[in-house]
Amino acid sequence: GESVGLHLPTLSVQEGDNSIINCAYSNSASDYFIWYKQESGKGPQFIIDIRSNMDKRQGQRVTVLLNKTVKHLSLQIAATQPGDSAVYFCAEKSGGSYIPTFGRGTSLIVHP
Amino acid sequence: SAVISQKPSRDICQRGTSLTIQCQVDSQVTMMFWYRQQPGQSLTLIATANQGSEATYESGFVIDKFPISRPNLTFSTLTVSNMSPEDSSIYLCSVGVGANTDTQYFGPGTRLTVL
């Protein structure tokens, strides 16, 4: 069936470096994508989203890139800080469905 | 966005008992959902909580085990019935907001341990 998956389950970076978290999706009908951050002991927190009519969207220190040709989504975090340490989930939805499909999650570890 | 609270934040329960988790939202929302997140895993949708009608359950989840109430547009409860250690998990409430209720926002979760 259709699925959403992540390439790297764990990513370790040094403070101040840029982080890139990747996500592959297989549902070509997906038209809305979301990144969530989940810190230990907390619920997932919305970070940024993008629709399929865009290939790039920027927020504060974060950028999401969407490549529909290869069904690939990435989250870039600039100047990564220890507070960015968390598990990051991508999620995708297709038109007509109000329920997103969540990826497996990537654990980002930021070393001071 | 929406501010979502859950009670309790955590609990330790004995097998065979039941626990009811409450979810409160600070604004009226059409769509409310309940998820389960087992340790180190992603999120699995249990059901959609429908206001004024029975919840819509996903495959593998049944009403007898996870009864859900949705008395109004700001509140829902999930009961985990006849618990076993396999029910140990984080239970998350979420709401859909936005023009098409596309974006889901999550509560802080309820960490359940069943002994």
Side-chain angles (χ1 to χ4, degrees):
Chain A
E2 304 283 15
S3 65
V4 176
L6 294 177
H7 294 304
L8 299 173
T10 303
L11 176 64
S12 293
V13 301
Q14 290 296 127
E15 181 178 2
D17 288 351
N18 296 331
S19 301
I20 300 175
I21 301 171
N22 297 303
C23 180
Y25 65 95
S26 57
N27 185 354
S28 57
S30 295
D31 58 5
Y32 181 59
F33 304 86
I34 314 163
W35 280 101
Y36 289 92
K37 171 187 180 183
Q38 187 174 25
E39 297 175 88
S40 180
K42 299 183 179 180
Q45 176 188 2
F46 173 90
I47 302 174
I48 192 168
D49 59 0
I50 189 168
R51 297 199 179 275
S52 58
N53 60 352
M54 304 173 69
D55 53 19
K56 180 179 180 179
R57 190 162 187 225
Q58 289 184 292
Q60 186 176 16
R61 281 201 307 118
V62 296
T63 301
V64 55
L65 298 178
L66 175 62
N67 185 330
K68 295 180 287 294
T69 302
V70 296
K71 300 191 193 72
H72 185 266
L73 186 73
S74 69
L75 177 71
Q76 300 179 359
I77 305 173
T80 314
Q81 303 168 0
D84 294 326
S85 294
V87 176
Y88 290 80
F89 293 96
C90 65
E92 56 88 11
K93 287 180 57 178
S94 58
S97 173
Y98 52 79
I99 300 171
T101 300
F102 287 87
R104 188 158 55 102
T106 292
S107 175
L108 175 65
I109 300 171
V110 183
H111 300 284
Chain B
S1 65
V3 178
I4 306 165
S5 60
Q6 286 184 232
K7 290 182 184 179
S9 59
R10 59 178 61 229
D11 208 342
I12 300 174
C13 302
Q14 297 296 321
R15 69 169 67 214
T17 63
S18 298
L19 176 71
T20 295
I21 303 168
Q22 299 180 4
C23 177
Q24 180 75 52
V25 191
D26 69 339
S27 58
Q28 293 186 341
V29 293
T30 305
M31 308 299 293
M32 291 184 77
F33 308 92
W34 286 99
Y35 284 84
R36 182 172 72 184
Q37 184 179 30
Q38 295 181 309
Q41 302 294 316
S42 188
L43 289 78
T44 301
L45 181 66
I46 298 172
T48 302
N50 302 309
Q51 195 267 331
S53 64
E54 190 172 287
T56 304
Y57 289 84
E58 298 299 304
S59 176
F61 298 97
V62 296
I63 188 171
D64 289 346
K65 176 66 176 178
F66 297 101
I68 288 171
S69 77
R70 178 90 191 270
N72 56 53
L73 293 177
T74 64
F75 186 78
S76 178
T77 68
L78 168 74
T79 299
V80 186
S81 302
N82 188 24
M83 288 183 284
S84 67
E86 292 70 34
D87 294 320
S88 297
S89 191
I90 298 172
Y91 292 86
L92 293 153
C93 169
S94 78
V95 302
V97 298
N100 299 313
T101 65
D102 273 345
T103 308
Q104 289 199 11
Y105 291 89
F106 288 84
T110 296
R111 183 178 295 271
L112 171 63
T113 301
V114 184
L115 302 178

